Amino acid sequence: MATEMALVKPISKFSTSSPIFSNSRYGKFTTVRMSSTSQSTTKAAAKGGKKAAKTAIKETLLAPRFYTTDFDEMEALFNAEINKNLNQSEFEALLQEFKTDYNQTHFVRNKEFKEAADKIDGPLRQIFVEFLERSCTAEFSGFLLYKELGRRLKKTNPVVAEIFSLMSRDEARHAGFLNKGLSDFNLALDLGFLTKARKYTFFKPKFIFYATYLSEKIGYWRYITIYRHLKENPEYQCYPIFKYFENWCQDENRHGDFFSALLKAQPQFLNDWKAKLWSRFFCLSVYVTMYLNDCQRTAFYEGIGLDTKEFDMHVIIETNRTTARIFPAVLDVENPEFKRRLDKMVEINEQLLAVGETSDIPLVKNLKRIPLIAALASELLATYLMPPIESGSVDFAEFEPQLVY
């Protein structure tokens, strides 16, 4: 699943602390449990430098959701005796791609990581800690979902089940690499404890398909855009994890190709008016989530030399063009009106956050929030109702799995 660079894989591989949307995403070195700690303790750990002791990480920072679904329905969808649309040869080809495991030896750390972390001070250090926390949690949520799907589908469709298991391998590798990165900042997540402590959000299978496809593809475009930018502007390469993004994003792309094949095997999720409405809804959810989330963290993107809004719009446009190959309808994100409405939502969201920072009693805060939430809902609805772009067809040959990079 994509990460917060969601990484917030939203809904993925998404994540956000927006009041409207939340996104979704193992490693052996789980040393610190996630628990509620004081803000001063967390900030002190973030600024502590070389000698800071490991400490617990604020639970409130871990916005990425953990997901579950109707596994009985999943088994029915991938039962070849029930679903005659299953293209087993395509799944077998994808399985061979995953078995190749191109990144088996890619995620290897060196002393450059700790040295770079020790040089990151002040607010930027705290921003990097939050980035690693959220990214690790987002990847780990993907690992849990894919692992369970691999287990539950083993008898019904062994090929699809093995692909899910191999995707969980990828997500575990990503989460472990990110968690090891936290150790550079004298922190770590206890992922075993996190598995039991987090609440799980239920999504029907078709919503898992829409949302996870989008999260994987948007993760690809986020990673590759950051990688290309830093390759051209090495003076902003302040932490070596970004050097791994070129290969890392190909994991995201392969995951997205697999979910494209899953959607093609379920044409009822693509070929009617309801599919068009849901496709647009999930595009809106993922794009708005990312935009609002990133605009709260402009310091991170400025720290690596990016303009947050320009970066996000590039990622949204490229993701939307990719998504149009499979979704029956997508948003017209290249219409200037779309960006204008996004920016208006950012303004409203900032006002909502400001209300939360006041010393007013909860009742007064809630009364102040009502008109702002109504305004945000109005912008969301207006954006959703913009004339869409009629797009994908399951009959198009170019839907065959292919690399985008």
Side-chain angles (χ1 to χ4, degrees):
M1 220 174 236
T3 55
E4 155 133 306
M5 289 300 314
L7 276 158
V8 234
K9 283 207 73 220
I11 173 174
S12 95
K13 239 155 146 263
F14 317 17
S15 70
T16 184
S17 59
S18 155
I20 298 298
F21 296 108
S22 284
N23 283 350
S24 118
R25 268 179 204 344
Y26 152 152
K28 293 182 179 180
F29 41 88
T30 54
T31 57
V32 178
R33 290 191 174 188
M34 175 193 68
S35 62
S36 297
T37 60
S38 69
Q39 187 174 2
S40 60
T41 301
T42 302
K43 287 184 177 180
K47 297 177 181 178
K50 299 178 182 179
K51 296 184 179 180
K54 290 189 177 182
T55 188
I57 294 170
K58 284 182 67 180
E59 183 173 0
T60 53
L61 290 176
L62 304 179
R65 300 282 185 90
F66 284 11
Y67 290 89
T68 187
T69 191
D70 186 335
F71 294 103
D72 291 334
E73 183 181 343
M74 278 285 192
E75 289 180 33
L77 291 174
F78 293 104
N79 187 323
E81 295 180 1
I82 299 174
N83 185 357
K84 304 302 181 182
N85 294 303
L86 293 175
N87 185 344
Q88 285 298 119
S89 61
E90 183 174 10
F91 289 132
E92 288 168 0
L94 283 164
L95 176 58
Q96 293 307 312
E97 184 80 3
F98 280 98
K99 280 184 174 181
T100 303
D101 196 7
Y102 298 100
N103 289 331
Q104 183 177 11
T105 60
H106 178 60
F107 295 96
V108 178
R109 288 166 48 87
N110 53 45
K111 64 179 183 179
E112 185 181 357
F113 280 81
K114 182 62 177 173
E115 291 173 353
D118 288 344
K119 294 176 182 177
I120 301 176
D121 296 315
L124 187 59
R125 185 176 180 86
Q126 185 177 348
I127 290 167
F128 262 85
V129 167
E130 183 182 347
F131 154 65
L132 291 168
E133 291 170 1
R134 294 170 63 87
S135 300
C136 180
T137 306
E139 296 284 349
F140 187 61
S141 84
F143 157 73
L144 292 175
L145 176 63
Y146 296 159
K147 181 182 179 182
E148 184 62 14
L149 283 167
R151 187 182 72 82
R152 294 291 294 265
L153 295 174
K154 192 172 293 185
K155 292 182 179 179
T156 304
N157 195 316
V159 173
V160 170
E162 188 171 1
I163 294 175
F164 273 119
S165 295
L166 293 174
M167 289 204 304
S168 75
R169 170 206 66 196
D170 295 343
E171 302 291 298
R173 188 178 285 155
H174 299 166
F177 195 64
L178 288 158
N179 204 6
K180 199 65 177 178
L182 277 169
S183 70
D184 297 329
F185 296 85
N186 304 304
L187 294 164
L189 282 173
D190 184 337
L191 298 176
F193 176 76
L194 192 63
T195 304
K196 301 175 183 178
R198 296 287 290 182
K199 294 181 179 179
Y200 287 73
T201 300
F202 178 85
F203 259 27
K204 290 179 67 64
K206 70 175 179 180
F207 300 151
I208 290 287
F209 294 162
Y210 293 138
T212 308
Y213 171 84
L214 275 167
S215 99
E216 299 289 357
K217 289 300 184 181
I218 208 168
Y220 167 82
W221 282 109
R222 290 174 69 87
Y223 286 131
I224 198 61
T225 302
I226 291 173
Y227 173 81
R228 289 169 176 167
H229 161 72
L230 293 176
K231 188 175 181 179
E232 294 176 2
N233 303 276
E235 66 272 21
Y236 291 106
Q237 187 73 260
C238 53
Y239 188 63
I241 198 168
F242 303 116
K243 297 178 181 179
Y244 292 75
F245 277 13
E246 182 180 28
N247 288 45
W248 193 329
C249 75
Q250 296 304 340
D251 284 343
E252 310 295 318
N253 198 42
R254 280 185 286 272
H255 295 183
D257 287 341
F258 174 57
F259 276 96
S260 176
L262 295 183
L263 282 164
K264 286 189 291 179
Q266 312 295 337
Q268 71 275 19
F269 298 159
L270 296 173
N271 62 8
D272 61 14
W273 62 272
K274 289 185 290 185
K276 292 182 179 182
L277 294 178
W278 281 119
S279 294
R280 290 161 54 197
F281 171 80
F282 278 100
C283 285
L284 180 65
S285 299
V286 172
Y287 301 161
V288 171
T289 291
M290 183 184 75
Y291 203 82
L292 295 183
N293 187 42
D294 287 355
C295 285
Q296 292 179 49
R297 296 168 175 81
T298 55
F300 174 83
Y301 298 96
E302 290 171 357
I304 57 174
L306 285 168
D307 180 286
T308 306
K309 291 184 177 181
E310 288 182 4
F311 166 72
D312 274 13
M313 284 308 302
H314 169 74
V315 170
I316 287 171
I317 288 170
E318 295 298 339
T319 302
N320 204 60
R321 290 173 178 173
T322 303
T323 301
R325 300 174 184 173
I326 184 68
F327 279 21
V330 294
L331 302 176
D332 186 5
V333 301
E334 297 180 61
N335 184 332
E337 182 70 7
F338 178 80
K339 173 134 186 338
R340 189 193 71 77
R341 293 194 177 279
L342 284 181
D343 289 336
K344 181 63 177 178
M345 286 183 239
V346 169
E347 293 178 16
I348 298 170
N349 192 45
E350 289 173 348
Q351 294 175 53
L352 277 167
L353 294 171
V355 169
E357 296 295 323
T358 66
S359 58
D360 295 330
I361 63 174
L363 177 61
V364 173
K365 286 185 179 182
N366 289 335
L367 289 174
K368 289 181 176 180
R369 286 187 179 112
I370 290 173
L372 294 173
I373 292 173
L376 184 54
S378 176
E379 290 295 334
L380 285 165
L381 180 61
T383 307
Y384 181 76
L385 293 177
M386 288 175 59
I389 296 174
E390 301 289 325
S391 52
S393 165
V394 294
D395 295 323
F396 286 176
E398 59 263 34
F399 289 168
E400 295 305 313
Q402 54 187 307
L403 293 179
V404 183
Y405 177 68

